[in-house]
Amino acid sequence: MRRRIIATFLVVLSLMVASMPAPGKAATLKGCRSILAQYPKGVAKDVDGQKNVVAIGYKTPAINGAIYEANKGLDRYKDNTVCVVEANKRKVLPGLPAPAVTSANEAQVKGNSAVSAALAANLANLGGTCMVAMRDEKIIGEWYSGGRKAADTTIAFSSGKPLTAAVIGAAVRLGRLNIDQSVADFIPEFKNTAKAAITIRHLMTHTSGLEATQAGPAMIAGKLNSEALKLSLTSVPGSTYDYDSSQLALQLLVQVVERAVGEKFTTFTDKYVLRPAGMANTFYKTDLQNAAFIEIGDPWLAGGLRTTCRDLARLAQLFQSKGQWAGQRIFSTSFAELATSVQVSSPGYGFLFYTGANFSHGGLCGQVMAKMSSGVTYAMMSNSFLFTPSFFPEECTSERYSAVAAAAAAAALRAATAFSAVTMFG
């Protein structure tokens, strides 16, 4: 299954083409009232239970491209949506400012040479590798091998899942949703169905009851979000932990957040988590690219985060710091504590974190972010793709995965030992 998941990234993704309406139809749907009458699924409830329009767009929720063109003067926020209002009056979310020191401008900190040697020895065949350790929101050691640099990004795979928890926490802090709210409040397709029992908490703990299916085909087709809507229930929401369901089920949170905050998931993520946490080199792989290979589709939350060791360590440190960075609150202390404490006893899972004495999350090809008992957080990454002599990317193949995981574990163990040593930062 790992091979098929990662092979998804080897496909050049095609553009979606919006269908055209019958002649004259677009001209008859002018103004929000007539558009909303034709497309009622664009109406969702806010946290106060009031029905407010939060997004009608020619992509998500889908209205016809020609209707959008005829009414794009109503696109107040220039994000391919029209009739975006909240109680007929919504201010543009300003976001939070970036700290003075970000992952792009902070000075490099030399790490213990023994850890660097362990990385180079254990992960030499994986291309560029890195490890960054932080305490009190500052880098206390960083290591690079194989020509990797601080700004080099790779796919974090599942180790990037906790970013989604941070985004939910930011939306909760703004009062746009709560974790025990039904997703049907934001996804009209689920109203009056068994799926209305699914809550945001269920999605963050992999207990939604939705079927486990591979994201690859949906990603290739540019239909991550729409295919997530079609997932069948296989168990009562809240009753069964199924990690594999996250491949597509997590996509529902894209739609929840977008309709709760009234703008694109990636825009909100950048404004309320990445920017204020100083994560300057992080973005999502999406299910669509344009002709210039620019990502334009829906972000893949289960494994599509592209980031650096510095940024991944910052994400762990953000939760260690109880949701604030440089004195600025991104999400609440109570949310951070819930996210990193046991919500599902077996296997010991929080909100998109493995929990216990500490918290962590790993990903394919040796990616990991974790907190240690000392309060140090660290991230380790290897190249997500291995390069062939012809320079075409090659997946982290299933036949090599065991060796990759073993090498990563060995390097992490040696680094962990160094973290507790006085001489670690010499």
Side-chain angles (χ1 to χ4, degrees):
M1 183 173 72
R2 295 187 182 97
R3 182 182 181 89
R4 288 194 292 270
I5 295 170
I6 306 168
T8 298
F9 292 105
L10 306 180
V11 179
V12 177
L13 303 173
S14 60
L15 290 170
M16 288 191 299
V17 179
S19 59
M20 296 298 289
K25 183 177 180 181
T28 66
L29 292 177
K30 288 187 176 180
C32 287
R33 181 172 297 180
S34 60
I35 293 173
L36 296 177
Q38 183 72 27
Y39 295 93
K41 289 184 178 180
V43 179
K45 288 184 179 180
D46 64 10
V47 293
D48 297 319
Q50 302 298 314
K51 287 188 174 181
N52 298 321
V53 180
V54 292
I56 301 291
Y58 77 91
K59 290 183 179 178
T60 307
I63 64 172
N64 195 278
I67 294 172
Y68 170 80
E69 287 298 319
N71 296 276
K72 62 184 179 182
L74 300 171
D75 187 355
R76 292 176 57 198
Y77 306 105
K78 307 306 178 188
D79 59 359
N80 300 325
T81 60
V82 297
C83 301
V84 179
V85 297
E86 189 168 322
N88 298 317
K89 182 175 68 175
R90 176 173 78 87
K91 295 180 180 179
V92 177
L93 292 169
L96 298 173
V101 177
T102 73
S103 63
N105 64 18
E106 59 193 325
Q108 187 158 337
V109 178
K110 182 181 179 182
N112 181 280
S113 59
V115 178
S116 182
L119 283 174
N122 288 319
L123 301 174
N125 295 326
L126 298 180
T129 61
C130 61
M131 183 178 285
V132 170
M134 301 191 78
R135 182 190 284 127
D136 300 328
E137 301 178 12
K138 296 180 177 62
I139 292 178
I140 54 177
E142 57 187 324
W143 302 263
Y144 300 92
S145 66
R148 190 179 182 114
K149 298 179 178 61
D152 290 347
T153 63
T154 43
I155 302 294
F157 294 114
S158 290
S159 67
K161 279 186 172 77
L163 177 59
T164 298
V167 173
I168 295 297
V172 169
R173 188 186 69 84
L174 293 171
R176 297 306 181 98
L177 50 79
N178 68 73
I179 59 175
D180 291 311
Q181 195 167 3
S182 168
V183 296
D185 286 351
F186 307 97
I187 301 177
E189 293 90 337
F190 288 4
K191 288 185 182 295
N192 302 316
T193 73
K195 294 180 185 179
I198 301 170
T199 66
I200 294 168
R201 181 192 292 267
H202 292 151
L203 290 170
M204 290 195 293
T205 55
H206 310 312
T207 59
S208 67
L210 292 169
E211 66 179 312
T213 187
Q214 295 176 35
M219 185 177 295
I220 292 169
K223 296 181 178 180
L224 277 173
N225 285 357
S226 60
E227 289 301 307
L229 294 174
K230 300 176 185 178
L231 293 173
S232 300
L233 273 178
T234 59
S235 62
V236 176
S239 67
T240 305
Y241 172 88
D242 185 356
Y243 181 82
D244 288 340
S245 69
S246 67
Q247 280 202 49
L248 268 182
L250 273 185
Q251 292 305 120
L252 297 175
L253 291 179
V254 174
Q255 298 169 77
V256 165
V257 169
E258 289 185 345
R259 295 176 186 182
V261 304
E263 61 186 346
K264 292 183 181 300
F265 182 95
T266 48
T267 302
F268 180 79
T269 299
D270 184 66
K271 287 161 61 172
Y272 279 95
V273 181
L274 299 181
R275 185 170 70 192
M279 296 171 64
N281 292 295
T282 296
F283 56 95
Y284 277 103
K285 287 284 293 181
T286 74
D287 63 359
L288 285 177
Q289 295 176 331
N290 64 15
F293 300 102
I294 296 173
E295 306 288 340
I296 59 172
D298 293 313
W300 183 34
L301 301 191
L305 190 69
R306 193 170 185 94
T307 189
T308 65
C309 266
R310 283 183 169 186
D311 280 2
L312 197 57
R314 276 175 174 258
L315 179 59
Q317 188 74 185
L318 176 61
F319 281 90
Q320 163 66 7
S321 299
K322 307 298 184 185
Q324 68 175 11
W325 195 277
Q328 181 171 238
R329 179 63 60 186
I330 295 174
F331 47 85
S332 70
T333 296
S334 60
F335 181 87
E337 291 174 344
L338 279 174
T340 56
S341 62
V342 175
Q343 303 295 321
V344 182
S345 58
S346 179
Y349 204 78
F351 294 163
L352 302 174
F353 276 107
Y354 287 100
T355 58
N358 298 302
F359 60 78
S360 65
H361 215 298
L364 287 175
C365 299
Q367 328 297 20
V368 63
M369 57 101 82
K371 169 191 171 290
M372 304 188 71
S373 57
S374 62
V376 170
T377 62
Y378 73 95
M380 183 170 63
M381 301 185 78
S382 67
N383 273 355
S384 304
F385 297 125
L386 311 181
F387 290 92
T388 66
S390 59
F391 204 66
F392 285 100
E394 177 180 315
E395 66 195 285
C396 178
T397 56
S398 56
E399 58 266 24
R400 294 197 61 190
Y401 180 71
S402 295
V404 172
L413 179 61
R414 294 188 187 189
T417 301
F419 287 154
S420 62
V422 176
T423 59
M424 172 186 172
F425 311 116

